[in-house]
Amino acid sequence: MIIFGTKGYLYQLAILTLVCSRCGNPSAHTLRKRVTKFTLFFVPLFPFSTKYAMQCTFCGVEQQVTKEQAEQLQAQETGGQGGFPGSGGQAYGPSGQQPYQRP
């Protein structure tokens, strides 16, 4: 008898303050990485699915992001130059989300 299956892992990569595209509030957004691994006899062997998502902590809307966007947002959070290529140095999140600037 062979026992196999999958197990999911959720990693929080960063917390960014952005203007939400749904509710319009400047709030914290969590950047998460979800990895699904194949298991054999309850031992995780290798990942076969990796997905990135951002979730607004105010309204709860979750948006899928690409690996490149996740890396750029994570660099922005750690104090790097951030931003997407061609954005003129200003950092934008997925779907036109803009970083919140305090007045």
Side-chain angles (χ1 to χ4, degrees):
M1 175 188 251
I2 297 177
I3 300 173
F4 64 93
T6 62
K7 181 170 180 166
Y9 297 89
L10 188 63
Y11 302 99
Q12 182 170 314
L13 302 176
I15 298 177
L16 301 155
T17 303
L18 301 170
V19 176
C20 181
S21 62
R22 179 178 170 206
C23 65
N25 289 309
S27 62
H29 285 68
T30 57
L31 178 62
R32 296 181 179 152
K33 175 177 151 179
R34 184 181 313 265
V35 179
T36 305
K37 294 186 178 184
F38 176 79
T39 61
L40 184 63
F41 293 107
F42 306 104
V43 177
L45 296 178
F46 58 88
F48 70 87
S49 173
T50 302
K51 296 180 181 179
Y52 296 88
M54 281 190 54
Q55 184 177 20
C56 175
T57 57
F58 190 82
C59 67
V61 68
E62 186 170 319
Q63 298 176 358
Q64 299 293 323
V65 295
T66 64
K67 181 179 180 180
E68 293 79 23
Q69 289 173 332
E71 289 171 353
Q72 290 173 352
L73 288 166
Q74 193 173 8
Q76 174 186 337
E77 189 263 344
T78 57
Q81 290 298 319
F84 292 102
S87 66
Q90 188 174 8
Y92 289 91
S95 303
Q97 291 178 334
Q98 297 181 2
Y100 174 65
Q101 300 293 327
R102 292 185 182 164

